[in-house]
Each structure stands twice: as C-alpha cells, then as structure tokens.
Amino acid sequence: MHEMSLACTVVEEVERVLDECGPKARAISVRLEVGRLRAVVPEAMEFCFEAAALGTRAEGARLIIDQIPIRVRCETCDDEWTLESVEFFCPACDGGVSVLSGKELLLRTIEIEDDEE
Ligand SMILES: [Zn+2]
C-alpha cells in the first residue's frame, strides 16, 4: 500500500512546518492535493495518515484530500480533455498525448492552533 509512504512524507512535512511555528503549535487539519494518476485511495490515505501521525505533532489532525483530475493534450491536434479512464491516445486523431495534470502531490494548507497566550 503506497499510501503509507505518502502519509509518512506528509506527516514529516507537517512536523517541519509546526517546528517553525513554535513549540506549542499543533495541526488541526491538513489539506492535500493529489492527482488521480497517483492512484491514491482517499480512505486508505486517511487511515494511513492517522496511523503515521500517532505520537507526532500531527496527531489528531484531519486530512482533507482534493483529487486533481487527469488532463491531457493531444500532441498532434492540440485538443485538451480530462481522462475518465486511462487511455493515452487521442480519440479524435489517434495521436499520442502529453499529461498536463494528474501527477500532483501537494501539501496545500495546514490549519494550525497555537496554545501560547
Ligand atoms: Zn488529436
């Protein structure tokens, strides 16, 4: 399950940001952008994030996943569309395609609470 290694990467990144925010900062929610080509199962990702965050400063934070559709462009006729199934050729002219989006894995926002008065 590759979600576990992704979740560990996200937790490390959240901890790094929290370190910069001060000793008492803790994460409330973490928003992630994941391209559909990453084939991440949101439920599995949430489960792995929760597990990976245990005992870290990211523990208890809510993971919000935004899935980014796979956009491609035909290299022959320049047509652009969103892939619903994984077919890497142009239905109009049979040309090869370039992937425009769908490979993202971005930590978008971290909502942070700081207990310090
Ligand atoms: Zn085409």
Side-chain angles (χ1 to χ4, degrees), residues 73-79 81 89-97:
R73 179 195 290 131
C74 174
E75 285 161 358
T76 308
C77 71
D78 263 353
D79 205 9
W81 67 96
F89 61 90
C90 174
C93 75
D94 260 355
V97 297

Short mmCIF file of all heavy atoms in Angstrom, two decimals, residues 73-79 81 89-97, ligand 1:
data_model
loop_
_atom_site.label_atom_id
_atom_site.label_comp_id
_atom_site.label_asym_id
_atom_site.label_seq_id
_atom_site.Cartn_x
_atom_site.Cartn_y
_atom_site.Cartn_z
N ARG A 73 -3.24 16.56 -23.28
CA ARG A 73 -3.34 17.29 -24.56
C ARG A 73 -2.76 16.42 -25.67
O ARG A 73 -1.69 15.83 -25.51
CB ARG A 73 -2.57 18.61 -24.49
CG ARG A 73 -2.64 19.38 -25.82
CD ARG A 73 -1.62 20.48 -25.92
NE ARG A 73 -1.92 21.58 -25.01
CZ ARG A 73 -1.02 22.13 -24.18
NH1 ARG A 73 0.21 21.66 -24.12
NH2 ARG A 73 -1.36 23.12 -23.39
N CYS A 74 -3.51 16.38 -26.78
CA CYS A 74 -3.04 15.60 -27.93
C CYS A 74 -1.83 16.30 -28.54
O CYS A 74 -1.86 17.50 -28.79
CB CYS A 74 -4.16 15.45 -28.96
SG CYS A 74 -3.60 14.65 -30.47
N GLU A 75 -0.77 15.51 -28.80
CA GLU A 75 0.45 16.10 -29.37
C GLU A 75 0.30 16.37 -30.86
O GLU A 75 1.10 17.08 -31.46
CB GLU A 75 1.63 15.15 -29.13
CG GLU A 75 2.10 15.18 -27.69
CD GLU A 75 2.93 13.97 -27.28
OE1 GLU A 75 3.11 13.06 -28.11
OE2 GLU A 75 3.39 13.95 -26.13
N THR A 76 -0.75 15.84 -31.47
CA THR A 76 -0.95 16.03 -32.91
C THR A 76 -1.92 17.17 -33.20
O THR A 76 -1.61 18.09 -33.96
CB THR A 76 -1.47 14.72 -33.56
OG1 THR A 76 -0.60 13.67 -33.19
CG2 THR A 76 -1.51 14.85 -35.08
N CYS A 77 -3.12 17.16 -32.56
CA CYS A 77 -4.12 18.17 -32.91
C CYS A 77 -4.36 19.19 -31.79
O CYS A 77 -5.22 20.06 -31.92
CB CYS A 77 -5.43 17.51 -33.34
SG CYS A 77 -6.34 16.72 -31.99
N ASP A 78 -3.61 19.11 -30.66
CA ASP A 78 -3.67 20.11 -29.59
C ASP A 78 -4.98 20.13 -28.81
O ASP A 78 -5.22 21.04 -28.01
CB ASP A 78 -3.39 21.52 -30.12
CG ASP A 78 -1.93 21.91 -29.90
OD1 ASP A 78 -1.22 21.13 -29.24
OD2 ASP A 78 -1.52 22.97 -30.38
N ASP A 79 -5.86 19.19 -29.05
CA ASP A 79 -7.09 19.08 -28.29
C ASP A 79 -6.74 18.77 -26.82
O ASP A 79 -5.75 18.09 -26.57
CB ASP A 79 -7.93 17.93 -28.89
CG ASP A 79 -9.41 18.11 -28.61
OD1 ASP A 79 -9.80 19.20 -28.11
OD2 ASP A 79 -10.18 17.18 -28.89
N TRP A 81 -8.42 17.48 -22.93
CA TRP A 81 -9.59 16.93 -22.26
C TRP A 81 -9.20 16.26 -20.95
O TRP A 81 -8.01 16.12 -20.66
CB TRP A 81 -10.33 15.94 -23.18
CG TRP A 81 -9.58 14.67 -23.50
CD1 TRP A 81 -9.70 13.47 -22.87
CD2 TRP A 81 -8.57 14.50 -24.50
NE1 TRP A 81 -8.84 12.57 -23.43
CE2 TRP A 81 -8.14 13.15 -24.42
CE3 TRP A 81 -8.00 15.34 -25.46
CZ2 TRP A 81 -7.15 12.65 -25.26
CZ3 TRP A 81 -7.02 14.82 -26.30
CH2 TRP A 81 -6.59 13.49 -26.20
N PHE A 89 -4.21 8.05 -25.68
CA PHE A 89 -4.15 8.42 -27.10
C PHE A 89 -5.36 9.29 -27.39
O PHE A 89 -6.33 9.31 -26.62
CB PHE A 89 -4.15 7.18 -28.01
CG PHE A 89 -5.38 6.32 -27.87
CD1 PHE A 89 -6.50 6.55 -28.65
CD2 PHE A 89 -5.43 5.30 -26.93
CE1 PHE A 89 -7.65 5.77 -28.51
CE2 PHE A 89 -6.58 4.52 -26.77
CZ PHE A 89 -7.68 4.76 -27.56
N CYS A 90 -5.28 10.06 -28.47
CA CYS A 90 -6.35 11.00 -28.80
C CYS A 90 -7.48 10.29 -29.55
O CYS A 90 -7.22 9.67 -30.59
CB CYS A 90 -5.78 12.13 -29.64
SG CYS A 90 -7.04 13.26 -30.25
N PRO A 91 -8.73 10.36 -29.03
CA PRO A 91 -9.83 9.68 -29.72
C PRO A 91 -10.15 10.32 -31.07
O PRO A 91 -10.71 9.68 -31.95
CB PRO A 91 -11.01 9.83 -28.75
CG PRO A 91 -10.64 10.91 -27.80
CD PRO A 91 -9.15 11.00 -27.79
N ALA A 92 -9.76 11.61 -31.24
CA ALA A 92 -10.08 12.29 -32.50
C ALA A 92 -9.11 11.89 -33.61
O ALA A 92 -9.52 11.63 -34.73
CB ALA A 92 -10.04 13.81 -32.28
N CYS A 93 -7.81 11.85 -33.31
CA CYS A 93 -6.84 11.61 -34.38
C CYS A 93 -5.87 10.48 -34.08
O CYS A 93 -4.96 10.24 -34.86
CB CYS A 93 -6.07 12.90 -34.69
SG CYS A 93 -4.82 13.29 -33.44
N ASP A 94 -6.04 9.79 -32.93
CA ASP A 94 -5.16 8.68 -32.55
C ASP A 94 -3.74 9.11 -32.18
O ASP A 94 -2.86 8.27 -32.02
CB ASP A 94 -5.08 7.61 -33.66
CG ASP A 94 -6.00 6.43 -33.35
OD1 ASP A 94 -6.58 6.42 -32.25
OD2 ASP A 94 -6.10 5.53 -34.19
N GLY A 95 -3.50 10.44 -32.07
CA GLY A 95 -2.16 10.92 -31.73
C GLY A 95 -1.81 10.60 -30.28
O GLY A 95 -2.68 10.30 -29.47
N GLY A 96 -0.50 10.66 -29.96
CA GLY A 96 -0.05 10.49 -28.58
C GLY A 96 -0.38 11.72 -27.78
O GLY A 96 -0.60 12.79 -28.34
N VAL A 97 -0.46 11.61 -26.45
CA VAL A 97 -0.85 12.75 -25.61
C VAL A 97 0.22 13.10 -24.59
O VAL A 97 1.03 12.26 -24.20
CB VAL A 97 -2.18 12.48 -24.87
CG1 VAL A 97 -3.33 12.30 -25.87
CG2 VAL A 97 -2.09 11.26 -23.97
ZN ZN B 1 -5.60 14.60 -31.62
#
